[in-house]
Amino acid sequence: MTPADIQNEQRQLELAVEQALASAKRLGADTAEVSISKQTGLSVNTRNGELENIEFNKDGALGIAVYRDGRKGSASTSDLRPDAIARTVAAAMDISRYTTEDPFSGLAPADALAWDAPELELCFPHPLEPSDGIELALRCEQQALGRDPRIKQSDGASFSTNLGIKVYGNSHGFIKGYAGSRFGMSCVLIGEQNGDMQREYGYTSARSFDDLWTPEQVADEAVSRTLGRLGARKLGTTRAPVLFHPDVAGSLFGHLVMGISGGNLYRQSSFLLDSLGERIFPEWFDIHEQPHLHKGLASSPFDNEGVRTTERRIIEHGRLQTYLLPSYAARKMNMEPTGHAGGIHNWTVANTGQSLEQLLKMMGSGLLVTELMGQGVNIVTGDYSRGAAGFWVENGEIAYPVEEITIAGNLKDMFTGIQAIGTDTELRSSLQTGSVLIGEMKIGGQ
């Protein structure tokens, strides 16, 4: 699609939102809000040098919520024709007759909306034929399979493109939208050595095609990770320092996101209740949110309720500076919405200046975690127990790969026990952090 095509498509979606809001008002809704999206994309998958499948997608969806006498009704449709939209609005109005009155439901406050939403550069159309995607995926596989005889086969390579347009509007008269693009490439390999088989991957993701890694770079990462896992051993149960590689370190702060999200807080189901303003990390620790970052994977001018997004400190000097509140949770907690309906926007964890190699030296002997498995995290209590794999470290040097172990602790203790953050920041994520060194955790093995 050309920029002109995208602009025209967005205008058509805005007209559909206007129609839905007008229908809701005509049918007696006190207020209403509508979100609509349309996406086009291409996905190519290859396996062992052959095309496995190719998919085109072009779809859209509209969702409407109506509010009448404190009651809410919701409905959605993937049919964006005017008559289908009218039927969807009528269905939402009918549903509202049967829902329970809730004084906390409703639109976000008008003064919190992004009336002056910034124009962000998030969409980078790039003309690609299916043959281009096939060539890139095949090239990635071929590069990976030719590197080392221990790489026995590919478990698949992929290339994908996606261009989406999102529009949100409500009865305050707010209707705005924006477009975004995403490109990705990945490769999964299977390696074997002395009967031991391991599976690992490499990938790249970016808003712009020009910012993607080359197939050779993706292959390099996939090969390195796969070979590094061969010959993995088991460990005995012990307590030791744990260094989370950037590939998995972001998940630690994903649990922070859950702990300070409004839905868990007002339900009294978070290990971080009543923590606003409290020190929950070491004094030197900071997390910065930048919603308007150029080409940011999670950049957005407003959230799913039209609330403006703003740059803010999430953690400053170890202290929690904000909760993450959509409007419903904000009303429940007698607070203001923070622009986080739908998720976070480009978090960056500040580093302490050490490279990964320096962190290994600092750790001495312990566990470098490169893979996590399972969902053993209790957000209510903060108890943490997950399957893991990685490398055992002796005297600051990687000694051998390990697998079939568990690591356990409590998130509060883990957060306060962080000793350093590496400079090896993972940039392919909306939550960017380097390696995270925690002073001690329980490691379960044989």
Side-chain angles (χ1 to χ4, degrees):
M1 297 176 71
T2 66
D5 292 333
I6 294 169
Q7 189 174 26
N8 181 63
E9 191 74 56
Q10 182 173 322
R11 181 55 188 152
Q12 294 303 310
L13 297 182
E14 290 170 354
L15 290 172
V17 170
E18 289 178 9
Q19 178 204 337
L21 290 171
S23 294
K25 183 177 181 179
R26 195 164 50 248
L27 292 174
D30 299 326
T31 58
E33 56 184 337
V34 179
S35 60
I36 189 169
S37 64
K38 201 161 189 178
Q39 300 189 49
T40 58
L42 166 72
S43 177
V44 171
N45 292 278
T46 63
R47 188 184 298 270
N48 288 319
E50 296 183 358
L51 176 64
E52 189 169 60
N53 60 62
I54 182 168
E55 295 181 6
F56 297 90
N57 72 282
K58 185 174 183 179
D59 52 48
L62 176 147
I64 182 167
V66 298
Y67 303 92
R68 180 171 56 180
D69 300 326
R71 303 171 187 271
K72 177 182 177 180
S74 300
S76 63
T77 179
S78 58
D79 187 343
L80 302 182
R81 292 175 300 178
D83 58 335
I85 292 174
R87 289 194 299 270
T88 303
V89 175
M93 291 296 296
D94 187 54
I95 290 169
S96 71
R97 296 167 50 202
Y98 304 99
T99 58
T100 303
E101 185 176 346
D102 186 347
F104 300 102
S105 66
L107 308 181
D111 60 2
L113 301 181
W115 297 103
D116 297 318
E119 290 290 335
L120 304 181
E121 288 188 86
L122 303 178
C123 189
F124 300 87
H126 188 90
L128 285 168
E129 296 296 326
S131 57
D132 298 321
I134 295 170
E135 191 275 332
L136 287 165
L138 288 174
R139 200 168 107 206
C140 190
E141 271 198 316
Q142 290 163 359
Q143 288 290 323
L145 291 171
R147 299 289 175 87
D148 191 289
R150 291 171 293 176
I151 301 297
K152 297 301 182 182
Q153 61 181 8
S154 163
D155 201 25
S158 68
F159 177 82
S160 63
T161 71
N162 181 274
L163 192 153
I165 304 171
K166 174 183 175 181
V167 174
Y168 171 85
N170 62 31
S171 300
H172 292 313
F174 179 93
I175 299 180
K176 290 187 181 293
Y178 62 94
S181 56
R182 184 73 65 96
F183 299 84
M185 181 166 41
S186 66
C187 181
V188 183
L189 301 175
I190 297 174
E192 182 178 4
Q193 177 177 277
N194 299 326
D196 174 40
M197 298 184 71
Q198 298 288 346
R199 181 177 180 270
E200 265 291 359
Y201 68 97
Y203 78 102
T204 180
S205 179
R207 288 276 189 186
S208 169
F209 176 83
D210 294 336
D211 293 332
L212 287 178
W213 289 4
T214 65
E216 290 75 18
Q217 289 172 306
V218 175
D220 285 343
E221 181 178 61
V223 170
S224 176
R225 285 179 167 180
T226 305
L227 296 180
R229 292 285 300 276
L230 292 173
R233 311 181 197 176
K234 298 179 182 179
L235 289 175
T237 297
T238 186
R239 299 188 72 89
V242 174
L243 179 59
F244 289 80
H245 190 273
D247 291 342
V248 295
S251 69
L252 293 175
F253 307 116
H255 304 314
L256 169 65
V257 172
M258 295 295 293
I260 62 175
S261 291
N264 288 326
L265 292 168
Y266 79 72
R267 293 186 183 95
Q268 303 283 300
S269 57
S270 168
F271 71 102
L272 291 175
L273 287 175
D274 303 318
S275 294
L276 194 62
E278 298 296 315
R279 180 169 290 139
I280 61 174
F281 288 95
E283 189 172 359
W284 49 263
F285 187 94
D286 290 309
I287 296 180
H288 188 200
E289 181 173 56
Q290 296 174 279
H292 305 156
L293 198 63
H294 176 63
K295 293 185 177 180
L297 293 176
S299 291
S300 176
F302 50 85
D303 73 359
N304 289 354
E305 298 179 312
V307 174
R308 58 181 170 269
T309 53
T310 58
E311 187 171 334
R312 65 177 73 220
R313 297 286 177 178
I314 306 298
I315 305 291
E316 188 170 24
H317 302 309
R319 295 185 182 275
L320 178 63
Q321 301 298 308
T322 182
Y323 291 141
L324 311 179
L325 304 178
S327 61
Y328 184 88
R331 283 188 285 268
K332 279 274 192 179
M333 299 172 66
N334 196 29
M335 301 178 77
E336 297 297 322
T338 61
H340 290 97
I344 64 170
H345 311 285
N346 303 320
W347 281 17
T348 301
V349 181
N351 67 71
T352 50
Q354 299 95 339
S355 66
L356 176 60
E357 291 72 21
Q358 290 171 322
L359 289 181
L360 291 172
K361 297 292 185 185
M362 184 176 172
M363 179 169 67
S365 295
L367 177 66
L368 170 60
V369 175
T370 59
E371 182 180 1
L372 291 168
M373 294 152 277
Q375 303 296 325
V377 182
N378 187 324
I379 293 298
V380 179
T381 64
D383 290 336
Y384 182 100
S385 179
R386 297 190 67 183
F391 300 89
W392 185 250
V393 178
E394 291 284 358
N395 299 317
E397 301 286 343
I398 291 177
Y400 50 84
V402 294
E403 62 182 359
E404 296 183 19
I405 54 178
T406 60
I407 53 175
N410 184 276
L411 286 169
K412 280 191 173 183
D413 298 331
M414 292 163 64
F415 289 169
T416 58
I418 293 176
Q419 295 184 342
I421 306 290
T423 57
D424 51 341
T425 304
E426 173 56 73
L427 301 177
R428 296 167 291 180
S429 170
S430 61
L431 203 165
Q432 299 183 357
T433 178
S435 297
V436 176
L437 176 60
I438 295 178
E440 184 179 86
M441 292 184 68
K442 183 177 180 180
I443 302 170
Q446 291 179 319

